[in-house]
Amino acid sequence: MLWKSADYSGWGRVLQAKGEIARPERQAALAALLDDGLLPAMGMRRSYGDAALNSDGRAVDMTRLDRMLGFDPETGILDVEAGARIGEIAAAFGPKGWLPAVMPGTGFATVGGCIGQDVHGKNHHHAGSFCEHVVSLTLRTAKGVVEVTPEKTPALFRATAGGLGQTGVILSARLRLLPCKGDVMVVTERRMADWEEFIAHLDTSRATYTVGWIDATAKGAALGRGVLEEGETGSGLMPQRIKRRKVPLDAPNFALSSPIVRMFNGAYYRRVPEKGRTVVRPISDFFFPLDKIHDWNRLYGKRGFHQFQCVVPLDQAPALRDMLGEIAGSGLASPLAVIKRMGPGRAGYLSFPMEGYTLAVDFPDRAAARELIKHMQARATEVGGRIYFAKDSLARPEEIPAMYPELDLWRKEVTKADPEGRLATDLVRRLKLRVAK
Amino acid sequence: MNRTWIILGATSSMARAFARAVSQEGAGVLLAGRDSEDLAALAADCRLRGARIAEAVAFDARRPDGFAAIIQRMEAEEGELNAAVFVGSMPEQAAIDADPSLIDGTVTDSFTGPARFLQMLAPLMEARGGGTVVGVASVAGDRGRLGNYVYGAAKAGFATYLSGLRNRLTRAGGHVVTVKPGFVDTAMTWGLPGMFLVATPEKVAEDIQKAVRKKRNVIYTPFFWRYIMLIIIHIPELIFKKMKI
């Protein structure tokens, strides 16, 4: 059948939708489908909130249009369909000495999704955002199929990069891959005793890939403690094979209660020896640590979870420290918390990155957590920061223009590309992104 | 070992997953089907995943005139020749009830078309002294049911054909694997009500590869369908004829 009636959700499972989904397996089938009018496209639905939801409407699942169409080893440019997953590209090209220039925290993200959110990776401070490595893309707009490039159609490109799928359905893209030494990572892990040490190391790290795990339950003198991971690609060393696991059931709520999380975090921190260590890991293990555990979102139980992620300018590190202090004081955080220093690279009007520090913390869905996240979002806005649409399920429309000063430019292009508003998603409606005031 | 697979019905998602899996092992793939644009995309994908060669080949189960050219193309490849058959069509039973002439096409797509092709290929495989035929039949062929008995009958015919072909090719050092998938997450089953324990095409491809390596004769994928079908086959006809499953 063409249409499947489905109940579906984003990765966080809190926001849900009911609607009809088509999943074409050939470009001809997709083209025929869109001849009747544009539809919001979705990939693997790894966005946490409602970016890929269209309640009471129709949507097109792109995951079966996932082929690599061509590669030029002279330029490193890969032509690929929008439904292809980043992890698949890395697995096919890593052994040949190439990697996607930017890889998000999950290899399950599709190329189309990475463009729609202009995602960043552990090398953002050097390489910039995903769409800065997009040479061109083919986009099905209300006017038909157009080729979009940063040079020839700069406004449409900037509205599409990080544009939440509102300019059209991305059919394929040409990505500039980055040469790498091989398909293993040499990773140095070091304990960071507190916030000051962490920030100092993030500021001075010279590594190509850097990311910090932070203990969002540590308070007082230990506030901001964590583990800094610095990675470089390497070759010739055989890391142990990864064992994939599944989460068979929704976990009970007490699994993420405060004492258990505190205990886990303490152990996780001390797992790294006091003097640090250097280990060799498969590429996928370093870039996509949680992909080993299929459906790990079920660990949060039926209620689902939220991720709060914000970025604040460099000079607002103390504000971010205070925010972390509030999170630690609340005892609501889960073990998943990440800190990173970002560079200025961003490709679109609504791209998330800015030069500064980004903090991401997961919370099981509870009333107190929702209140805390809303408070954090207000704080981030006050200090000139912004929140990430890929993670959000709680922001309010009035906060967005201050966070995203180029919103009106984006709106102008979106109105041109999809005048009837057929591509609107739950996120776009919730945050009134397309409604100009 | 220089290995080449002809994959009939290569635009289906199970075939795509299988083509990718053998490409990763460095085999050559000839991707046969009707949608040449789609096959060209898959061929490019297979090459980038490691296929020695990957080419689109025009194949229509209902046009046997084109078969000889494909066999010739295969003959040009040195080494072991293999075939995997994923073709088949399943019109809704109600559509067939309304227009019985649809039976002809269903049987041609799911049985006689691919059987005729394999019959032409068999002497070549015998001459090379090896190779494997993977034939995708269906659990629907194990017992005729109200919902899809024409499709089931065609697949049952194909399974019987494969059994005979196995008997023949084994003598020449070849092998035939009959694959009976249960519910697989493909365009054919997308949105159908009553689906359960649905397998991904990748899982099916993995099972097929394992069966080829181990020279299994008949596999159900996922494996538990063997037991589900065992039960269904053994329901007495007296009862079964009144059931609606």
Side-chain angles (χ1 to χ4, degrees), chain A residues 399-412:
Chain A
E399 294 171 330
I400 306 303
M403 292 184 195
Y404 288 93
E406 293 175 312
L407 184 60
D408 280 333
L409 293 169
W410 178 78
R411 281 175 175 154
K412 216 174 97 192

Side-chain angles (χ1 to χ4, degrees), chain A residues 160-216:
Chain A
T160 304
L164 305 166
Q166 298 303 298
T167 55
V169 175
I170 299 165
L171 305 177
S172 69
R174 292 170 65 230
L175 312 176
R176 202 178 291 111
L177 304 190
L178 223 55
C180 65
K181 282 189 199 138
D183 59 350
V184 295
M185 293 297 295
V186 180
V187 185
T188 300
E189 299 174 321
R190 272 181 292 175
R191 286 191 197 175
M192 298 288 123
D194 58 23
W195 176 265
E196 275 66 35
E197 188 181 357
F198 221 139
I199 292 294
H201 277 88
L202 286 172
D203 288 346
T204 53
S205 172
R206 294 271 170 274
T208 310
Y209 297 97
T210 313
V211 69
W213 168 79
I214 203 159
D215 181 352

Side-chain angles (χ1 to χ4, degrees), chain A residues 265-287:
Chain A
N265 281 4
Y268 193 82
Y269 176 71
R270 282 181 287 274
R271 171 190 67 108
V272 173
E274 217 164 329
K275 287 184 179 148
R277 65 177 177 188
T278 298
V279 292
V280 177
R281 296 214 199 125
I283 274 207
S284 55
D285 210 13
F286 177 75
F287 287 103

